[in-house]
Short mmCIF file of all heavy atoms in Angstrom, two decimals:
data_model
loop_
_atom_site.label_atom_id
_atom_site.label_comp_id
_atom_site.label_asym_id
_atom_site.label_seq_id
_atom_site.Cartn_x
_atom_site.Cartn_y
_atom_site.Cartn_z
N TYR A 128 14.63 -28.96 -7.17
CA TYR A 128 13.52 -29.59 -7.88
C TYR A 128 13.56 -31.08 -7.57
O TYR A 128 14.53 -31.77 -7.91
CB TYR A 128 13.64 -29.37 -9.39
CG TYR A 128 13.35 -27.97 -9.84
CD1 TYR A 128 14.35 -27.01 -9.91
CD2 TYR A 128 12.06 -27.60 -10.22
CE1 TYR A 128 14.09 -25.72 -10.32
CE2 TYR A 128 11.78 -26.30 -10.64
CZ TYR A 128 12.80 -25.37 -10.69
OH TYR A 128 12.53 -24.10 -11.11
N PHE A 129 12.52 -31.58 -6.93
CA PHE A 129 12.50 -32.98 -6.50
C PHE A 129 12.33 -33.90 -7.71
O PHE A 129 11.46 -33.72 -8.55
CB PHE A 129 11.36 -33.20 -5.51
CG PHE A 129 11.29 -34.60 -4.96
CD1 PHE A 129 12.38 -35.16 -4.30
CD2 PHE A 129 10.13 -35.35 -5.10
CE1 PHE A 129 12.31 -36.44 -3.77
CE2 PHE A 129 10.06 -36.62 -4.58
CZ PHE A 129 11.15 -37.17 -3.92
N GLY A 130 13.19 -34.94 -7.76
CA GLY A 130 13.17 -35.84 -8.89
C GLY A 130 12.42 -37.13 -8.68
O GLY A 130 12.42 -38.01 -9.55
N GLY A 131 11.80 -37.28 -7.51
CA GLY A 131 10.99 -38.48 -7.27
C GLY A 131 11.67 -39.55 -6.46
O GLY A 131 11.03 -40.51 -6.02
N THR A 132 12.98 -39.42 -6.25
CA THR A 132 13.73 -40.41 -5.47
C THR A 132 14.28 -39.77 -4.21
O THR A 132 14.95 -38.73 -4.28
CB THR A 132 14.91 -40.98 -6.29
OG1 THR A 132 14.40 -41.58 -7.49
CG2 THR A 132 15.69 -42.01 -5.49
N LEU A 133 13.99 -40.38 -3.06
CA LEU A 133 14.52 -39.86 -1.80
C LEU A 133 16.02 -40.09 -1.74
O LEU A 133 16.51 -41.17 -2.07
CB LEU A 133 13.83 -40.55 -0.62
CG LEU A 133 12.32 -40.31 -0.49
CD1 LEU A 133 11.75 -41.15 0.67
CD2 LEU A 133 12.02 -38.84 -0.27
N LEU A 134 16.75 -39.08 -1.31
CA LEU A 134 18.21 -39.17 -1.30
C LEU A 134 18.77 -39.54 0.07
O LEU A 134 19.96 -39.86 0.17
CB LEU A 134 18.81 -37.83 -1.75
CG LEU A 134 18.40 -37.33 -3.13
CD1 LEU A 134 19.10 -36.02 -3.44
CD2 LEU A 134 18.69 -38.37 -4.20
N GLY A 135 17.95 -39.49 1.11
CA GLY A 135 18.47 -39.76 2.45
C GLY A 135 19.24 -38.56 2.99
O GLY A 135 19.64 -37.66 2.23
N THR A 136 19.48 -38.54 4.29
CA THR A 136 20.14 -37.38 4.89
C THR A 136 21.56 -37.19 4.35
O THR A 136 21.98 -36.07 4.06
CB THR A 136 20.18 -37.50 6.42
OG1 THR A 136 20.83 -38.73 6.78
CG2 THR A 136 18.77 -37.50 7.00
N GLY A 137 22.29 -38.30 4.20
CA GLY A 137 23.65 -38.19 3.68
C GLY A 137 23.68 -37.67 2.26
O GLY A 137 24.53 -36.84 1.90
N GLY A 138 22.75 -38.14 1.44
CA GLY A 138 22.67 -37.67 0.06
C GLY A 138 22.31 -36.21 -0.04
O GLY A 138 22.85 -35.47 -0.89
N LEU A 139 21.41 -35.76 0.84
CA LEU A 139 21.03 -34.35 0.83
C LEU A 139 22.19 -33.46 1.27
O LEU A 139 22.45 -32.42 0.66
CB LEU A 139 19.83 -34.13 1.75
CG LEU A 139 18.49 -34.69 1.25
CD1 LEU A 139 17.43 -34.56 2.34
CD2 LEU A 139 18.05 -33.97 -0.02
N VAL A 140 22.88 -33.85 2.33
CA VAL A 140 24.04 -33.07 2.78
C VAL A 140 25.07 -32.95 1.66
O VAL A 140 25.61 -31.87 1.40
CB VAL A 140 24.67 -33.70 4.04
CG1 VAL A 140 26.02 -33.04 4.35
CG2 VAL A 140 23.73 -33.57 5.23
N HIS A 141 25.32 -34.06 0.98
CA HIS A 141 26.28 -34.03 -0.13
C HIS A 141 25.80 -33.09 -1.24
O HIS A 141 26.58 -32.29 -1.78
CB HIS A 141 26.46 -35.44 -0.71
CG HIS A 141 27.19 -35.46 -2.02
ND1 HIS A 141 28.56 -35.27 -2.12
CD2 HIS A 141 26.74 -35.61 -3.30
CE1 HIS A 141 28.91 -35.31 -3.38
NE2 HIS A 141 27.83 -35.52 -4.12
N ALA A 142 24.51 -33.17 -1.59
CA ALA A 142 23.98 -32.37 -2.69
C ALA A 142 24.04 -30.88 -2.38
O ALA A 142 24.46 -30.07 -3.23
CB ALA A 142 22.55 -32.79 -2.99
N TYR A 143 23.64 -30.51 -1.18
CA TYR A 143 23.65 -29.09 -0.83
C TYR A 143 25.07 -28.57 -0.65
O TYR A 143 25.37 -27.41 -0.99
CB TYR A 143 22.81 -28.84 0.43
CG TYR A 143 21.33 -28.86 0.13
CD1 TYR A 143 20.54 -29.96 0.44
CD2 TYR A 143 20.73 -27.78 -0.49
CE1 TYR A 143 19.18 -29.98 0.14
CE2 TYR A 143 19.37 -27.78 -0.81
CZ TYR A 143 18.61 -28.89 -0.49
OH TYR A 143 17.26 -28.90 -0.80
N THR A 144 25.95 -29.41 -0.14
CA THR A 144 27.35 -29.01 -0.02
C THR A 144 28.00 -28.84 -1.39
O THR A 144 28.67 -27.84 -1.66
CB THR A 144 28.15 -30.04 0.80
OG1 THR A 144 27.58 -30.16 2.10
CG2 THR A 144 29.61 -29.65 0.91
N GLU A 145 27.79 -29.82 -2.25
CA GLU A 145 28.43 -29.80 -3.57
C GLU A 145 27.94 -28.63 -4.42
O GLU A 145 28.74 -27.92 -5.03
CB GLU A 145 28.14 -31.12 -4.28
CG GLU A 145 28.77 -31.24 -5.68
CD GLU A 145 30.28 -31.37 -5.63
OE1 GLU A 145 30.83 -31.63 -4.54
OE2 GLU A 145 30.91 -31.21 -6.69
N SER A 146 26.64 -28.43 -4.46
CA SER A 146 26.11 -27.35 -5.32
C SER A 146 26.54 -25.98 -4.82
O SER A 146 26.95 -25.12 -5.61
CB SER A 146 24.58 -27.43 -5.39
OG SER A 146 24.01 -27.38 -4.10
N SER A 147 26.47 -25.75 -3.50
CA SER A 147 26.89 -24.44 -2.98
C SER A 147 28.39 -24.24 -3.12
O SER A 147 28.85 -23.13 -3.41
CB SER A 147 26.46 -24.30 -1.52
OG SER A 147 26.95 -25.33 -0.71
N SER A 148 29.17 -25.31 -2.97
CA SER A 148 30.63 -25.20 -3.16
C SER A 148 30.97 -24.79 -4.58
O SER A 148 31.86 -23.96 -4.81
CB SER A 148 31.31 -26.53 -2.83
OG SER A 148 31.20 -26.84 -1.46
N MET A 149 30.27 -25.38 -5.54
CA MET A 149 30.53 -25.05 -6.94
C MET A 149 30.19 -23.58 -7.23
O MET A 149 30.93 -22.88 -7.93
CB MET A 149 29.72 -25.97 -7.85
CG MET A 149 30.21 -27.41 -7.86
SD MET A 149 29.11 -28.51 -8.81
CE MET A 149 29.19 -27.75 -10.44
N ALA A 150 29.07 -23.10 -6.67
CA ALA A 150 28.69 -21.70 -6.90
C ALA A 150 29.68 -20.75 -6.25
O ALA A 150 30.04 -19.72 -6.84
CB ALA A 150 27.27 -21.46 -6.38
N VAL A 151 30.12 -21.09 -5.04
CA VAL A 151 31.10 -20.24 -4.36
C VAL A 151 32.42 -20.23 -5.12
O VAL A 151 33.07 -19.19 -5.27
CB VAL A 151 31.30 -20.71 -2.91
CG1 VAL A 151 32.53 -20.05 -2.29
CG2 VAL A 151 30.07 -20.39 -2.07
N SER A 152 32.83 -21.38 -5.62
CA SER A 152 34.10 -21.48 -6.35
C SER A 152 34.11 -20.64 -7.62
O SER A 152 35.15 -20.13 -8.03
CB SER A 152 34.40 -22.94 -6.69
OG SER A 152 34.60 -23.71 -5.52
N SER A 153 32.93 -20.48 -8.23
CA SER A 153 32.86 -19.70 -9.47
C SER A 153 32.63 -18.21 -9.23
O SER A 153 32.65 -17.42 -10.17
CB SER A 153 31.74 -20.24 -10.36
OG SER A 153 30.47 -20.05 -9.76
N ALA A 154 32.44 -17.82 -7.97
CA ALA A 154 32.17 -16.42 -7.66
C ALA A 154 33.45 -15.59 -7.69
O ALA A 154 34.54 -16.08 -7.38
CB ALA A 154 31.53 -16.30 -6.28
N THR A 155 33.31 -14.34 -8.07
CA THR A 155 34.42 -13.38 -7.99
C THR A 155 34.39 -12.74 -6.61
O THR A 155 33.36 -12.22 -6.19
CB THR A 155 34.29 -12.30 -9.06
OG1 THR A 155 34.30 -12.92 -10.36
CG2 THR A 155 35.43 -11.30 -8.98
N THR A 156 35.51 -12.80 -5.91
CA THR A 156 35.56 -12.26 -4.56
C THR A 156 36.34 -10.95 -4.51
O THR A 156 37.22 -10.71 -5.34
CB THR A 156 36.19 -13.26 -3.58
OG1 THR A 156 37.52 -13.59 -4.02
CG2 THR A 156 35.36 -14.53 -3.49
N ILE A 157 35.99 -10.13 -3.54
CA ILE A 157 36.69 -8.87 -3.31
C ILE A 157 36.92 -8.71 -1.81
O ILE A 157 36.23 -9.32 -1.01
CB ILE A 157 35.90 -7.65 -3.85
CG1 ILE A 157 34.49 -7.61 -3.22
CG2 ILE A 157 35.83 -7.68 -5.36
CD1 ILE A 157 33.71 -6.37 -3.57
N VAL A 158 37.88 -7.89 -1.46
CA VAL A 158 38.16 -7.57 -0.06
C VAL A 158 37.59 -6.20 0.25
O VAL A 158 37.84 -5.23 -0.48
CB VAL A 158 39.67 -7.59 0.24
CG1 VAL A 158 39.93 -7.19 1.69
CG2 VAL A 158 40.25 -8.98 -0.04
N LYS A 159 36.80 -6.11 1.32
CA LYS A 159 36.30 -4.82 1.79
C LYS A 159 37.03 -4.46 3.08
O LYS A 159 37.21 -5.32 3.95
CB LYS A 159 34.79 -4.86 2.02
CG LYS A 159 33.98 -4.88 0.73
CD LYS A 159 32.52 -4.60 0.99
CE LYS A 159 31.75 -4.44 -0.31
NZ LYS A 159 30.32 -4.08 -0.07
#
């Protein structure tokens, strides 16, 4: 959801990395 302020390429990379990392860290993993 865009908040009105441009984050720049570095800011976007950080945001997408951080949010996806947090979701992955909270996931339950299994071995197949």
Side-chain angles (χ1 to χ4, degrees):
Y128 287 89
F129 183 57
T132 301
L133 296 176
L134 302 181
T136 57
L139 288 173
V140 169
H141 168 75
Y143 283 102
T144 300
E145 180 70 14
S146 56
S147 56
S148 293
M149 290 173 60
V151 167
S152 296
S153 65
T155 300
T156 58
I157 56 174
V158 177
K159 287 193 173 184

